[in-house]
Amino acid sequence: MEEKTEERGRGCMTTLCYIEKDDSYLMMHRTVKKNDVNKDKWIGVGGHAELGESPEECLLREVKEETGYTLTSWRFRGLVTFVTEAENSKTVEYMEYMCLYTADGFTGEPTACDEGELAWVKKEDVLHLNLWEGDKIFFRLLNEDEPFFSLKLRYVGECATGYNNIDIAAAKAHGVTVCNVAGYSTDAVAQHTFALILHHYSRVAQYDAAVRQGAWKQAKTFCIMPYPMQELAEKTLAVVGYGSIGKKVAAIGAAFGMRLCIATRTQPQNCPYPLVSLDEAFRQADILTLHTPLTEQTAGMVNARRLKPTALLVNTARGGLIVEADLAQALQKGVIAGAALDVLTEEPMGDTPLFGLENCTLTPHAAWTPLETRQRLLELAAENLRCWLAGTPQNGITAP
């Protein structure tokens, strides 16, 4: 039982037992606990081993605590290894073993369980219950009277929204579940996008540096204005990609009184802004900001295409969207006014031609790093893992 084992410490091993009687299995309908990843699922009896317990000791204790029964006859039927791998799919970050048993002998009287409702279910009806996917595999093997089986279930948790750093085709081919974390950084990335835009148009950093160097003290009037500033109102903001971040950026731009246009591969519903092609977005934009994933189709989408000579290019998405040599040449020749980038093709930064250009602002892939954002990311990534371990994966990019 989870509350007791949490207090006394847990190992990285669990047990799961299907108790049999009269061609039926004793199943638990998880309806009691709040925030239960198994909510409304039907599962067998079991739980985490306490420190120092053998699998059999854990089995007997969990069955006694959850059902009131004392097992007198049981069989070790299978071993399931859960593996969680790092984003590069090479480093194992977490591993857990589950020992699966069936039992056909027990004594004692049933007791109420504080984790759910216990019921005897005919074996022929079990697969019609709301089961987690792992149970379906186990019941199939048990129904085939497999004497013993060993399964290895693998999971890759991407601690980001983008997953271009994972070989998705290989994961699918090897039956590896890949889940990402979507929506955790929407506010932070939209905020950073406008921090870059305002850095370019309001010149705060330059004015702050001038004041620190004594320029204001030496002024003959009440202000100094060596750096030209511009208003965002009435400027055209072209948003490339209209997911959650693109929508947020567009809404902020509208609040500044900017003209909006949207370039996106998928037709959004109820979009309040004009939809244009990518080429048209380049032609119209005073500011062109990228919020699209890096795929084979979007790689290098910003190349020798022409923006206005007064335009600003902003990228807080993925560095590979831009052909950096083309952008560097455009910046050096004054083809566009400036670029503000939080991402590069090579990270950490390598020998990029963009480094050192006066009209190119670079930040080190930092848009997602506010404390609240990282806390949200970890919570969602942990929830992804909990759901996968419970057999109900969420935010899946692949499924076994």
Side-chain angles (χ1 to χ4, degrees):
M1 299 176 73
E2 297 296 325
E3 291 82 4
K4 293 181 180 179
T5 55
E6 284 284 357
E7 292 171 3
R8 291 177 288 195
R10 300 192 310 183
C12 58
M13 179 188 71
T14 62
T15 58
L16 178 65
C17 183
Y18 302 121
I19 302 175
E20 302 175 84
K21 184 184 75 170
D22 299 331
D23 205 32
S24 298
Y25 285 121
L26 183 61
M27 302 292 292
M28 181 188 299
H29 192 197
R30 298 285 287 240
T31 58
V32 175
K33 285 186 175 182
K34 294 181 179 179
N35 304 317
D36 186 355
V37 295
N38 286 314
K39 184 72 172 176
D40 295 324
K41 294 284 186 184
W42 290 81
I43 64 174
V45 177
H48 280 88
E50 296 179 359
L51 294 178
E53 278 188 328
S54 69
E56 288 76 14
E57 289 169 333
C58 175
L59 165 71
L60 295 173
R61 175 183 54 76
E62 285 287 344
V63 169
K64 182 68 174 179
E65 290 178 347
E66 294 187 353
T67 69
Y69 293 135
T70 299
L71 295 185
T72 58
S73 174
W74 62 88
R75 291 174 59 194
F76 187 17
R77 302 299 299 273
L79 179 67
V80 182
T81 305
F82 297 94
V83 177
T84 303
E85 296 177 342
E87 294 174 15
N88 60 12
S89 301
K90 295 178 182 179
T91 304
V92 174
E93 293 187 330
Y94 176 81
M95 187 163 69
E96 181 173 308
Y97 298 100
M98 183 174 73
C99 299
L100 193 146
Y101 294 85
T102 55
D104 58 5
F106 55 89
T107 60
E109 296 297 324
T111 58
C113 179
D114 62 0
E115 296 186 16
E117 301 169 2
L118 294 168
W120 292 99
V121 180
K122 289 290 185 183
K123 292 182 179 180
E124 61 190 33
D125 297 328
V126 165
L127 291 178
H128 300 297
L129 300 175
N130 183 19
L131 304 173
W132 67 285
E133 295 301 315
D135 263 323
K136 295 177 183 178
I137 298 172
F138 307 151
F139 281 123
R140 176 177 59 81
L141 293 169
L142 294 175
N143 290 339
E144 293 172 358
D145 201 25
E146 188 75 25
F148 186 84
F149 56 85
S150 178
L151 302 175
K152 183 178 181 180
L153 305 181
R154 296 160 64 191
Y155 167 89
V156 176
E158 172 67 82
C159 289
T161 301
Y163 46 87
N164 55 285
N165 56 332
I166 296 174
D167 189 333
I168 297 299
K172 289 181 178 178
H174 290 84
V176 177
T177 299
V178 178
C179 299
N180 72 337
V181 181
Y184 76 97
S185 64
T186 298
D187 291 338
V189 176
Q191 174 181 310
H192 197 78
T193 298
F194 271 89
L196 294 173
I197 292 172
L198 291 168
H199 173 82
H200 178 82
Y201 284 98
S202 294
R203 308 293 183 183
V204 173
Q206 289 173 292
Y207 275 107
D208 177 67
V211 170
R212 291 173 184 274
Q213 292 166 8
W216 200 9
K217 281 187 177 182
Q218 300 164 10
K220 298 184 184 303
T221 62
F222 73 95
C223 75
I224 59 172
M225 46 183 179
Y227 309 113
M229 297 189 294
Q230 300 178 57
E231 294 182 354
L232 295 184
E234 299 301 318
K235 283 189 168 46
T236 297
L237 176 65
V239 180
V240 180
Y242 199 60
S244 60
I245 296 173
K247 290 175 182 176
K248 189 76 172 184
V249 168
I252 297 172
F256 271 105
M258 305 180 78
R259 298 188 181 97
L260 272 296
C261 65
I262 309 297
T264 180
R265 292 173 299 158
T266 55
Q267 187 79 13
Q269 293 183 347
N270 304 318
C271 178
Y273 315 111
L275 300 177
V276 299
S277 67
L278 185 61
D279 287 336
E280 185 61 28
F282 271 74
R283 283 192 291 270
Q284 292 188 23
D286 293 308
I287 303 167
L288 187 133
T289 180
L290 305 178
H291 303 286
T292 188
L294 178 61
T295 64
E296 291 182 1
Q297 292 72 35
T298 62
M301 65 190 299
V302 180
N303 41 42
R305 281 189 174 98
R306 291 297 182 101
L307 285 159
K308 295 178 182 179
T310 57
L312 173 70
L313 173 66
V314 180
N315 187 11
T316 55
R318 287 294 183 267
L321 300 174
I322 295 174
V323 179
E324 292 178 1
D326 289 353
L327 176 58
Q329 188 175 52
L331 290 166
Q332 289 165 338
K333 293 183 176 181
V335 175
I336 65 172
L341 314 174
D342 186 52
V343 288
L344 292 173
T345 301
E346 182 182 349
E347 296 177 350
M349 183 175 67
D351 294 327
T352 174
L354 298 169
F355 179 69
L357 299 181
E358 289 187 5
N359 53 351
C360 184
T361 298
L362 299 175
T363 55
H365 205 139
W368 69 279
T369 62
L371 176 61
E372 301 91 340
T373 312
R374 287 180 285 126
Q375 289 174 332
R376 190 180 306 117
L377 168 64
L378 292 177
E379 289 168 1
L380 293 172
E383 183 64 16
N384 279 352
L385 177 57
R386 281 194 293 268
C387 288
W388 177 76
L389 290 171
T392 56
Q394 63 177 13
N395 299 318
I397 307 304
T398 69

